[in-house]
Amino acid sequence: MEILWFLIALGLIVGVLGPLVFRRRGGGIRQVAPGTPDAADPEAYGFVRQEEQDVRLPGPDRDLLDVLDVVQATQDWRAAAQLLKGTEKEGETRWQRVQAFAGAASLELAERPGVGGAWLRSWKAEAPKDAGGAQVYAEFLVQQAWRSSTAGSDDFRVILEEARKACEEAALLAPGDPVPYISELAVARGLGYAHEEFDLLWAKVIDRAPAHMGAHLAALHYWCEKWHGSREEADHFATTAAARAPQGSLLAALPLFAVFENQPEIVVGVDFHRTAVVTKAVSGALYAAHSARPDDPMLAHVRHLLVSFLIGAERWGEAMALLVHVDGYVGALPWTLTEDPAAAYTACRNLAVAGYESNGGSPATLLR
């Protein structure tokens, strides 16, 4: 499955970059050597270098990053527990922070087997009734299964069964919190819950957070053709959620994520990005992004995916207007499906700069 994800991501990058970089027709992009007077300069727009892109998050969360630095430097979990205690249960921020702490522990363990992530083990051992710690540990097991095992293998199923129990324990410690059930959505996908069983789990999520964008994205994976649904079921799930979305909700962007999940493995040329289905989904996502609260923690996710589709359709100005908001953080689709998210993102970003300038744009004309 990791190979499939890589091929999808590679296809996205090839589909966006390939036909455009070498285009020579009028109004297209003309290749020039870096450093020549005609070369586009992303730094002129305030964009940061590839090596400075933060791959941990889709957008800024200074409190989280500061706490994560403290926890990893001291191996003391208490700062993380305090941050989660002060984070709203029903909101998107708590889910993202739980994911970030779990991901940090998982990556530490991968880098230093048997030693890394000791702070999370201490958290669980020293504060077994702490709801935040239980949620991070359950999500850690979920990420471990997907990161360290092959989907469908015995090891994969064993870890996910353990994660399932951990989700249940975490749910008991915080009855009104949707996070343990959102973590279990990935368990359901990996273990192949029957549709009826998944529906019962989903009901627990939406009873607690009916407009939770992160939860809907997790559920969308289950309904996709490559897992336990079909293109039609995934599209129906996404469009139904979008139709029911309250004003200002980013759920209106969910059909674009369904298009992304269902797109061909190898996308060649710009025709795909200009089809009626894609154009409609992009329009919905743009509307959602423009209507959302500027501080909505899921807004960065929507903007990152929009950037890739807008570049694919050669809508350079619109892509650039979003890039100024997301640059510096690349922990989002589609970049995270590649081996090097920062490299994938900056390649597309630099293409957008070149396309924008080839059509008369400049730092002075960019609307921010």
Side-chain angles (χ1 to χ4, degrees):
M1 185 50 62
E2 289 81 1
I3 294 175
L4 175 59
W5 280 116
F6 176 74
L7 288 174
I8 292 173
L10 181 62
L12 171 70
I13 296 171
V14 171
V16 170
L17 297 178
L20 302 176
V21 170
F22 300 104
R23 184 161 294 156
R24 294 293 189 272
R25 60 174 171 78
I29 299 172
R30 180 171 57 87
Q31 274 195 313
V32 294
T36 65
D38 291 330
D41 182 9
E43 292 186 46
Y45 296 84
F47 294 146
V48 302
R49 295 176 180 274
Q50 176 179 322
E51 60 270 19
E52 297 171 345
Q53 301 291 337
D54 194 320
V55 301
R56 296 172 294 179
L57 297 173
D61 184 342
R62 193 67 260 166
D63 289 341
L64 170 63
L65 293 177
D66 288 344
V67 168
L68 194 53
D69 287 342
V70 169
V71 169
Q72 292 187 307
T74 65
Q75 291 295 297
D76 189 333
W77 53 269
R78 289 173 178 80
Q82 191 63 37
L83 181 65
L84 289 181
K85 284 179 181 177
T87 305
E88 180 188 15
K89 288 192 300 184
E90 297 80 7
E92 307 279 355
T93 300
R94 185 178 183 86
W95 169 232
Q96 291 199 25
R97 287 175 173 176
V98 167
Q99 284 184 298
F101 285 130
S106 181
L107 288 174
E108 280 186 40
L109 186 59
E111 293 170 357
R112 293 178 291 138
V115 178
W119 56 269
L120 180 55
R121 294 190 290 276
S122 297
W123 192 353
K124 179 174 171 56
E126 296 170 19
K129 300 300 182 183
D130 182 79
Q135 292 172 6
V136 173
Y137 182 70
E139 176 62 20
F140 164 78
L141 291 174
V142 171
Q143 294 194 27
Q144 275 295 100
W146 290 99
R147 180 174 285 125
S148 64
S149 306
T150 301
S153 67
D154 289 342
D155 287 346
F156 179 78
R157 296 188 67 84
V158 166
I159 299 174
L160 283 186
E161 288 289 358
E162 185 179 353
R164 183 177 189 171
K165 294 177 183 177
C167 289
E168 292 172 354
E169 293 171 2
L172 290 174
L173 293 173
D177 196 326
V179 166
Y181 299 106
I182 299 174
S183 289
E184 193 180 346
L185 293 173
V187 176
R189 177 161 53 98
L191 293 181
Y193 284 19
H195 287 185
E196 295 78 8
E197 187 178 6
F198 185 86
D199 287 339
L200 291 174
L201 172 61
W202 181 239
K204 294 176 182 177
V205 174
I206 59 174
D207 281 349
R208 291 160 176 80
H212 199 289
M213 181 68 172
H216 279 78
L217 290 176
L220 178 64
H221 289 309
Y222 174 91
W223 289 114
C224 284
E225 184 177 35
K226 57 180 169 282
W227 288 107
H228 308 294
S230 64
R231 290 173 181 264
E232 293 74 21
E233 286 172 308
D235 289 340
H236 175 74
F237 176 81
T239 55
T240 299
R244 295 174 178 172
Q247 179 64 31
S249 169
L250 286 168
L251 287 177
L254 201 61
L256 184 63
F257 286 86
V259 168
F260 177 74
E261 292 291 338
N262 289 326
Q263 72 179 347
E265 290 186 18
I266 302 297
V267 177
V268 179
V270 297
D271 289 345
F272 167 78
H273 294 92
R274 291 177 177 168
T275 60
V277 170
V278 173
T279 300
K280 181 179 179 181
V282 167
S283 296
L286 283 169
Y287 169 79
H290 292 152
S291 304
R293 300 188 332 269
D295 63 345
D296 190 315
M298 291 301 293
L299 181 54
H301 286 278
V302 175
R303 283 172 167 165
H304 275 288
L305 193 62
L306 271 169
V307 162
S308 69
F309 275 89
L310 290 170
I311 291 174
E314 298 183 13
R315 295 165 64 172
W316 310 117
E318 292 168 283
M320 290 290 289
L322 294 177
L323 281 165
V324 297
H325 293 290
V326 301
D327 193 70
Y329 298 88
V330 296
L333 292 174
W335 329 117
T336 51
L337 297 181
T338 67
E339 290 292 327
D340 189 340
Y345 164 79
T346 52
C348 283
R349 183 201 65 189
N350 295 352
L351 177 63
V353 172
Y356 183 63
E357 294 190 352
S358 292
N359 287 274
S362 70
T365 63
L366 180 61
L367 297 176
R368 296 176 181 265

